[in-house]
């Protein structure tokens, strides 16, 4: 089956074939969990796919919020994309070299900002590198390009909306964290957070959606993972995780099998787990 779809996911072979297209823009969106010893910008400077720009998930965010890498204001997103030379009429391919598939977060951000011609690179930089494809260490030549943004507010939810959905059960809330964190058996990587999950939520660990080489499973296999977790796919969905990164892997997976009525809970467990007034559940879904 041909997995290539320039609006969701493209293969390394597809990117290699299109790398010199004048309207293609490649973005390195590598990001790592706090506490890791890796510096994604330094790694990008040392080696990246030819022409790639670096997208700093922590910097291109809402710095008015105490929460990590929340959705940036529209004006900030537009100005950063202009300075990166990414704008109207471009086909964007986002990749990462991250254990948490951070490229999915940037794919979703583009969708939130009304940009549809954006895909994640299946298998990321590790697959590209394993196939001994071209890499470079020089910065790209960037020319300003205007981007027209139409923010799709239905693509993101805040704590009030998620709290209502948890009580009413009118959305399926789907948590991308590992089973142990969902059940409340493992400590959270961020200090000060309670352990457990949003009451009424289901657990689809993002790692279950991947093949051994970090490529995404087929659309049918992705759909089967959601069904196996007890997700009612007839309901609209809200995805959540630790800080809004792997929740976007679930969003991309749903888009792959044709489910488009989903939103991402931007604050995710970093927000929910910090407030003692919000209820939590432990154990199985």
């Amino acid at each position: 089956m041909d997995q290539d779809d320039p609006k969701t996911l493209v293969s390394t072979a597809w990117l290699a074939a299109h790398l010199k297209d004048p309207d293609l823009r490649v973005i390195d969106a590598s990001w790592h969990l706090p506490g890791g010893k890796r510096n994604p910008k330094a790694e990008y400077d040392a080696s990246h796919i030819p022409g790639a720009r670096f997208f700093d998930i922590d910097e291109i965010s809402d710095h008015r919020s105490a929460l990590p890498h929340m959705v940036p204001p529209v004006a900030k997103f537009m100005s950063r994309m202009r300075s990166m030379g990414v704008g109207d009429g471009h086909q964007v391919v986002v990749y990462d070299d991250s254990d948490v598939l951070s490229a999915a977060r940037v794919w979703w951000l583009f969708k939130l900002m009304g940009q549809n011609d954006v895909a994640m690179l299946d298998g990321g930089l590790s697959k590209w590198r394993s196939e001994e494809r071209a890499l470079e260490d020089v910065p790209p030549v960037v020319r300003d390009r205007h981007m027209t943004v139409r923010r799709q507010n239905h693509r993101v939810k805040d704590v009030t909306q998620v709290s209502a959905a948890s009580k009413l059960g009118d959305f399926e809330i789907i948590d991308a964290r590992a089973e142990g964190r969902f059940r409340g058996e493992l400590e959270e990587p961020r200090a000060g957070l309670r352990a457990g999950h949003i009451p009424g939520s289901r657990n689809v660990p993002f790692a279950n959606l991947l093949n051994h080489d970090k490529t995404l499973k087929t659309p049918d296999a992705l759909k089967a993972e959601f069904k196996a977790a007890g997700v009612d796919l007839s309901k609209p969905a809200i995805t959540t995780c630790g800080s809004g990164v792997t929740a976007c892997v679930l969003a991309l997976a749903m888009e792959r099998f044709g489910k488009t009525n989903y939103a991402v809970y931007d604050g995710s467990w970093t927000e929910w787990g910090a407030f003692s007034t919000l209820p939590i559940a432990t154990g199985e879904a």
Side-chain angles (χ1 to χ4, degrees):
M1 177 192 156
D2 182 9
Q3 293 261 70
D4 290 325
D5 170 19
K7 295 185 189 311
T8 56
L9 193 73
V10 295
S11 63
T12 49
W14 186 97
L15 180 57
H18 290 271
L19 204 51
K20 292 193 166 49
D21 289 5
D23 61 346
L24 182 82
R25 292 294 178 270
V26 182
I27 291 176
D28 183 326
S30 299
W31 177 89
H32 308 293
L33 285 168
K37 296 286 185 274
R38 295 177 63 185
N39 180 330
K41 177 62 166 66
E43 290 180 17
Y44 161 84
D45 288 340
S47 177
H48 53 259
I49 292 175
R53 286 96 163 116
F54 183 73
F55 188 111
D56 187 332
I57 285 176
D58 286 324
E59 198 283 319
I60 306 174
S61 67
D62 187 354
H63 287 182
R64 302 166 303 184
S65 172
L67 294 165
H69 46 253
M70 295 286 278
V71 170
V74 166
K76 183 174 186 179
F77 185 82
M78 287 171 69
S79 73
R80 295 297 188 274
M81 291 308 99
R82 179 189 284 262
S83 65
M84 285 166 64
V86 178
D88 294 343
H90 285 149
Q91 168 66 49
V92 176
V93 175
V94 193
Y95 74 86
D96 64 58
D97 190 24
S98 162
D99 291 336
V100 292
L101 266 68
S102 52
R105 169 75 184 185
V106 174
W107 169 84
W108 170 78
L109 262 181
F110 271 83
K111 294 285 185 188
L112 176 68
M113 298 296 177
Q115 306 297 310
N116 287 315
D117 296 323
V118 55
M120 188 174 89
L121 179 64
D122 203 17
L125 185 63
S126 59
K127 188 168 192 289
W128 182 271
R129 197 177 268 138
S130 74
E131 294 163 355
E132 298 183 359
R133 298 186 186 275
L135 293 164
E136 66 181 21
D137 59 1
V138 294
V141 176
V142 171
R143 294 177 188 86
D144 273 15
R145 180 80 161 248
H146 174 72
M147 177 182 283
T148 307
V149 168
R150 297 180 192 85
R151 189 179 140 117
Q152 309 292 303
N153 290 327
H154 63 283
R155 290 256 173 254
V156 65
K157 299 289 184 194
D158 64 22
V159 66
T160 309
Q161 293 167 311
V162 176
S163 183
S166 173
K167 288 190 186 86
L168 296 171
D170 52 348
F171 285 79
E172 283 283 46
I173 302 172
I174 315 168
D175 193 322
R177 293 175 302 154
E179 289 104 331
R181 288 173 67 189
F182 179 85
R183 292 196 294 256
E185 296 162 359
L186 294 175
E187 273 188 34
E188 284 296 304
R190 286 180 175 80
L193 298 184
R194 299 171 298 163
H197 59 263
I198 299 167
S201 57
R202 301 282 180 180
N203 188 203
V204 179
F206 82 95
N208 292 5
L209 306 178
L210 307 178
N211 300 308
H212 63 90
D213 62 353
K214 286 193 190 169
T215 55
L216 222 52
K217 291 179 177 177
T218 65
D220 286 346
L222 293 172
K223 192 173 189 177
E225 291 288 348
F226 282 78
K227 286 187 167 173
V231 174
D232 180 353
L233 291 171
S234 70
K235 287 185 184 177
I238 298 170
T239 65
T240 182
C241 60
S243 67
V245 176
T246 60
C248 299
V249 180
L250 268 51
L252 176 62
M254 285 190 280
E255 191 87 39
R256 289 290 287 165
F257 62 73
K259 182 173 176 64
T260 56
N261 57 343
Y262 62 81
V264 170
Y265 172 25
D266 200 21
S268 282
W269 197 252
T270 302
E271 181 173 41
W272 194 282
F275 287 108
S276 59
T277 51
L278 292 169
I280 59 171
T282 54
E284 300 290 338

